[in-house]
Amino acid sequence: MMAVPARADAAQTPDRHGDLSRAGIDALSHDAPAITLEQAADLAREVYGVTGEIRALSAEKDANFRITPDSGPRLLLKVTNAAEDRGVTQMQTDALLHLRAVAPDLPVPHICLTLSGHAAHIHKAIDGQEHMVRLLTFLEGVPLSTIPCPVTLHHDTGRVLARLTHAMRGFFHPAAGHVLQWDIKQAHLLRPMLDAVEDGNLRTRLTRLIDRFDAEIAPRLLHLRAQVVHNDFNPHNLLVDAREASRLTGVIDFGDMVHTPLVCDLAVACSYQIAEGSEPMANIARLLAGYTEVLPLETAELDLLPDLMRLRHATILTVGSWRARRYPDNAAYIRRNAASSLLGLSTLDQIGTDAVRDILRGSARLSLERVTS
């Protein structure tokens, strides 16, 4: 086994209109690494000098193991899918190293170095495939998606996202420009997948959204602030203290990191906070208030936020339909977020772009007044 230093490999990025599987949406076509508990324990001991109780964790495309060492806090051993672009994986590693250097108090995983002082290790499996292995600190808590979110937590969620974005402002990597379908600025790549949307009315709505993106939204994105961002700040990737959910204890899964307009990252976070009931935008308003206390938005960014939230829902619905048709045996899992995305899209349409924009502007304005008063 050979340890490698943490460095950037050249990213292989697909053509803008290339194969959809190369745009980061076809992970199901590649089996997760076939790493046994014994092999994982050997990697932890030989590469990192760590021994202890080890347990496999569920994952879609990687092999993850939680280690409870003989002494000290728990750790996470990640064995990355061989099909993953190594440059992109290295970018995620370097980003976590950057965050530890500039904002060590952010609740994100920290990279543990190998015995030879490297941030990652290349493991060659019996089948000849090479996997990048990393050891990270294990963040304690439960996913926010599994419990009711207290009203007070939305404001703090916005602040943590803004702090994370601000800390990433000085970071760049050659692989950051890779094409990722989950990046809202790549919404034009949804068009070839629309045939998989079985509901004709929904397919028409999504087509109109993409038409609007091509004609009006994409040109405006070119003029906005852009940087490397988390890009998947959803409740499944946010951990909270289990008992009362009074605070965020962790932000996980940096697998969708990409260089994009920062308001696209914010739109992802906001899109998951649309609520049922008489005040569907209340949680988003609170999240935005917390965000803008740390990182004020420009007017052009705020004005695009309603459309960008719609496009996030459009991405979930379209990609979900495309993947469910390709992998029918796994369709239930693939479509798990379809109902909430359809509700979010319909709610935004019912309220209307102007009304949503007014609500968001009001929240951002009140936040700015509190900061400056």
Side-chain angles (χ1 to χ4, degrees):
M1 292 184 289
M2 174 182 60
V4 297
R7 64 176 179 83
D9 292 322
Q12 299 297 315
T13 57
D15 180 84
R16 289 187 58 186
H17 303 283
D19 191 308
L20 295 173
S21 68
R22 297 167 65 200
I25 62 173
D26 200 20
L28 291 181
S29 65
H30 305 285
D31 292 334
I35 304 294
T36 66
L37 282 175
E38 182 179 1
Q39 289 171 327
D42 288 343
L43 283 170
R45 183 183 65 257
E46 296 172 10
V47 179
Y48 294 95
V50 173
T51 59
E53 179 187 353
I54 187 164
R55 175 184 176 186
L57 302 178
S58 61
E60 186 175 67
K61 57 189 177 65
D62 298 331
N64 295 332
F65 302 88
R66 186 183 69 195
I67 303 174
T68 304
D70 299 331
S71 62
R74 294 197 288 188
L75 302 165
L76 177 68
L77 184 74
K78 290 186 67 70
V79 183
T80 303
N81 196 304
E84 289 290 308
D85 186 309
R86 193 175 294 176
V88 173
T89 305
Q90 190 62 59
M91 173 186 65
Q92 298 158 13
T93 303
D94 289 350
L96 291 176
L97 292 170
H98 170 83
L99 290 173
R100 184 168 191 173
V102 302
D105 57 333
L106 275 173
V108 301
H110 291 159
I111 296 289
C112 303
L113 300 182
T114 67
L115 290 173
S116 55
H118 299 120
H121 168 82
I122 298 302
H123 170 69
K124 189 170 184 177
I126 296 176
D127 60 7
Q129 292 189 322
E130 293 185 342
H131 305 278
M132 185 175 286
V133 179
R134 292 167 294 169
L135 187 69
L136 302 92
T137 55
F138 186 87
L139 300 183
E140 303 290 346
V142 298
L144 181 58
S145 59
T146 63
I147 59 174
C149 183
V151 171
T152 55
L153 204 56
H154 294 102
H155 183 274
D156 291 342
T157 298
R159 285 186 59 87
V160 171
L161 175 57
R163 289 176 57 214
L164 175 59
T165 304
H166 187 269
M168 291 294 295
R169 186 171 56 178
F171 174 80
F172 189 74
H173 190 278
H178 73 118
V179 177
L180 181 73
Q181 180 63 80
W182 298 106
D183 178 5
I184 294 176
K185 79 169 186 287
Q186 304 292 352
H188 62 279
L189 290 174
L190 295 172
R191 196 178 294 279
M193 290 185 279
L194 288 171
D195 286 345
V197 179
E198 298 175 355
D199 185 316
N201 290 330
L202 177 59
R203 186 167 60 250
T204 298
R205 291 170 65 189
L206 297 176
T207 300
R208 289 173 179 166
L209 266 175
I210 298 171
D211 289 342
R212 173 168 165 74
F213 172 81
D214 285 341
E216 302 179 35
I217 308 303
R220 294 164 67 183
L221 290 177
L222 297 174
H223 303 285
L224 303 183
R225 294 178 293 177
Q227 64 171 77
V228 179
V229 296
H230 182 276
N231 196 46
D232 199 14
F233 207 81
N234 74 74
H236 296 280
N237 293 333
L238 302 178
L239 304 179
V240 295
D241 48 337
R243 285 183 293 181
E244 298 180 357
S246 60
R247 62 185 180 88
L248 288 180
T249 60
V251 180
I252 61 175
D253 195 350
F254 284 70
D256 280 358
M257 286 183 61
V258 71
H259 187 278
T260 198
L262 65 84
V263 70
C264 290
D265 182 50
L266 176 60
V268 170
C270 289
S271 67
Y272 289 91
Q273 302 300 335
I274 296 174
E276 298 185 59
S278 59
E279 295 183 289
M281 298 297 296
N283 293 339
I284 294 177
R286 285 187 280 266
L287 186 150
L288 187 61
Y291 185 96
T292 52
E293 283 181 8
V294 177
L295 190 58
L297 289 176
E298 298 174 356
T299 300
E301 294 168 331
L302 194 56
D303 287 348
L304 279 178
L305 197 49
D307 284 309
L308 297 176
M309 284 190 283
R310 281 193 184 91
L311 288 163
R312 174 64 174 192
H313 290 306
T315 300
I316 292 171
L317 292 166
T318 304
V319 172
S321 296
W322 185 83
R323 293 181 79 185
R325 185 170 70 176
R326 188 162 182 168
Y327 308 103
D329 292 343
N330 208 26
Y333 174 79
I334 291 169
R335 294 181 183 272
R336 67 194 183 280
N337 292 321
S340 59
S341 283
L342 185 57
L343 173 65
L345 183 61
S346 297
T347 299
L348 291 168
D349 287 344
Q350 290 168 6
I351 298 173
T353 300
D354 291 341
V356 172
R357 188 181 294 122
D358 288 343
I359 293 171
L360 300 180
R361 283 176 175 172
S363 179
R365 182 173 59 251
L366 289 175
S367 175
L368 181 61
E369 290 173 354
R370 285 195 295 270
V371 172
T372 57
S373 61

